[in-house]
Amino acid sequence: MAKIKGHISINIDNCKGCELCIVECPQDSLKMSEHINTQGYHYAVLVQDNCTGCTNCALVCPEAIITVYRESKNKTKKERVAVITNVTENITVNVS
Amino acid sequence: MSDTFNEGITCEFLDDCDIVWDRPDSLLDTRLHYCPGCGHSVVHRLLMEVVDELGIRDRTIGIAPVGCSVFAYNYLNIDMQQAAHGRATAVATGIKRVRPDRIVFTYQGDGDLAAIGTGETIHTVNRGENIVIIFINNGIYGMTGGQMAPTTLPGVKTSTTTSGRDVSIHGHPLKIAEMLALLPGAYYVTRTSVISANHVRKTKKALLKAFKYQMEGKGGVSFVEVVSNCPAGWKMTPVDSNKWLETNVFDNFPLGDIKLPVKD
């Protein structure tokens, strides 16, 4: 089985329900929702946790509403830091 | 709008992830007016990906045609000009000659380029203008209600050929890319499609090549024909239209490079 983990997020309000991403997904991770969006279309949703981040769905999506994520190669969790400037000395605040 | 994202399963390791694909910056964040599953939207997106990759957003000028893609300037965040029906290549000639430092492309459908604008297209290619022509061939007049186009396949039923296109009455499908490849002014002529992810990747490569040739000033037209679907005009679902395209259209309009640059 594939070891690479991926994830997608879909801007469902702009989905027109063409189903091209569902046909293109090699993992069958996508399916049409039973609900409709603000435009009146059924929209695509990710229903299985086996996405590999291959970007096939995003490439065929005519509306360009799919963002594809892929797990970083270095597994250590990235530290999210905010640096506050404009003070006498830099203060580092850990936000995660 | 962000609270409506990610319906379905959620991801626990999203902080660990890199974004591998996102909407290109040059494509404006508006809803496209095209029908569901239309190939126009894909080519719009690919164009903007290419413009972003080459970093030429501030010096690219696009010419919008008349047809479904008449509102291309609403989505592409670059300088755009709308041309009269079929005259996009003539307008592009003018812009390129006045501003040779700009990257100029036309974006035309088969009603615009292959029907009313055939003369302009042939003469622009014959003059060898240093522009990119993007030709979306879906074999029908989608915007006006599904009438027969010069590129409609024989036997296809449209609203003006109700018993199918008869070659003895309506003529044969016009293979404009093969015609233009014969002209010495054509530098790079290719035909691609956007029906699957692999075809989309190939189309992007072709567009990238075409824009690079123009930036290098090779002195010739780069012509990229994209065989596309028209689910509304063909009266099929988007998935069925792509299957129909693969089984029928590719025989008549074979994909691949038709004219490659001669190596020095």
Side-chain angles (χ1 to χ4, degrees):
Chain A
M1 278 299 289
K3 295 273 191 252
I4 308 163
K5 275 186 177 179
H7 187 68
I8 61 163
S9 75
I10 305 170
N11 181 354
I12 55 168
D13 275 346
N14 282 6
C15 182
K16 287 179 186 163
C18 66
E19 304 187 19
L20 292 180
C21 53
I22 293 170
V23 180
E24 200 61 36
C25 181
Q27 302 278 41
D28 297 326
S29 309
L30 290 156
K31 151 181 150 227
M32 293 309 281
S33 171
E34 287 172 9
H35 305 288
I36 55 170
N37 61 11
T38 50
Q39 292 188 88
Y41 293 113
H42 293 283
Y43 48 86
V45 281
L46 186 69
V47 288
Q48 283 196 65
D49 194 14
N50 58 356
C51 176
T52 58
C54 70
T55 70
N56 273 11
C57 54
L59 285 174
V60 294
C61 177
E63 310 304 316
I65 53 170
I66 301 180
T67 308
V68 184
Y69 304 89
R70 204 180 288 159
E71 202 174 27
S72 304
K73 279 176 187 159
N74 48 345
K75 293 283 172 65
T76 51
K77 193 159 187 165
K78 280 181 209 159
E79 209 172 334
R80 297 168 71 200
V81 250
V83 178
I84 301 163
T85 53
N86 209 12
V87 284
T88 48
E89 49 186 276
N90 284 355
I91 305 162
T92 308
V93 184
N94 204 331
V95 290
S96 59
Chain B
M1 201 181 273
S2 58
D3 57 331
T4 57
F5 285 15
N6 277 331
E7 195 194 298
I9 62 160
T10 51
C11 178
E12 297 88 28
F13 55 95
L14 209 58
D15 287 347
D16 278 346
C17 288
D18 301 324
I19 292 180
V20 284
W21 198 94
D22 201 3
R23 194 182 172 95
D25 292 338
S26 299
L27 191 67
L28 287 170
D29 199 13
T30 49
R31 214 172 264 171
L32 292 116
H33 76 273
Y34 299 110
C35 308
C38 180
H40 269 304
S41 330
V42 182
V43 182
H44 277 25
R45 193 195 74 218
L46 289 177
L47 260 174
M48 290 303 100
E49 281 180 28
V50 167
V51 165
D52 278 354
E53 255 173 52
L54 296 172
I56 50 169
R57 198 204 292 191
D58 53 345
R59 55 194 184 102
T60 306
I61 302 175
I63 320 292
V66 171
C68 285
S69 47
V70 65
F71 292 126
Y73 44 78
N74 285 346
Y75 313 120
L76 313 184
N77 194 6
I78 50 171
D79 290 330
M80 294 288 289
Q81 170 66 46
Q82 161 69 50
H85 201 359
R87 276 64 183 167
T89 50
V91 175
T93 302
I95 292 176
K96 188 69 186 177
R97 288 193 176 195
V98 174
R99 301 296 301 266
D101 55 322
R102 293 294 191 261
I103 315 297
V104 182
F105 72 88
T106 72
Y107 184 99
Q108 298 173 271
D110 47 4
D112 195 77
L113 186 142
I116 195 167
T118 318
E120 277 78 5
T121 308
I122 289 174
H123 284 289
T124 305
V125 177
N126 196 32
R127 288 194 303 269
E129 303 290 345
N130 188 18
I131 58 168
V132 176
I133 299 176
I134 295 145
F135 170 38
I136 310 297
N137 175 6
N138 58 12
I140 206 162
Y141 292 166
M143 180 184 155
T144 49
Q147 289 87 358
M148 188 198 85
T151 47
T152 303
L153 298 186
V156 171
K157 287 179 185 172
T158 66
S159 56
T160 45
T161 55
T162 45
S163 51
R165 180 173 184 167
D166 182 356
V167 288
S168 62
I169 302 168
H170 309 110
H172 295 272
L174 190 60
K175 296 190 176 181
I176 203 117
E178 278 86 347
M179 268 168 60
L180 296 177
L182 296 173
L183 300 173
Y187 187 73
Y188 172 57
V189 181
T190 187
R191 184 185 283 126
T192 61
S193 175
V194 287
I195 61 162
S196 74
N198 278 342
H199 285 109
V200 171
R201 289 189 185 100
K202 281 179 191 164
T203 306
K204 189 179 170 185
K205 272 183 194 160
L207 288 171
L208 208 56
K209 256 191 212 172
F211 275 82
K212 273 185 182 162
Y213 289 147
Q214 185 184 160
M215 286 166 80
E216 288 163 10
K218 294 289 189 188
V221 170
S222 298
F223 186 89
V224 181
E225 174 175 345
V226 182
V227 184
S228 172
N229 60 351
C230 182
W234 296 353
K235 297 175 177 57
M236 294 177 194
T237 65
V239 176
D240 287 347
S241 72
N242 276 351
K243 277 182 193 154
W244 189 86
L245 199 150
E246 200 169 6
T247 50
N248 296 286
V249 182
F250 288 176
D251 299 339
N252 283 270
F253 293 102
L255 303 186
D257 293 329
I258 297 160
K259 186 175 188 180
L260 282 169
V262 186
K263 282 181 184 164
D264 302 324

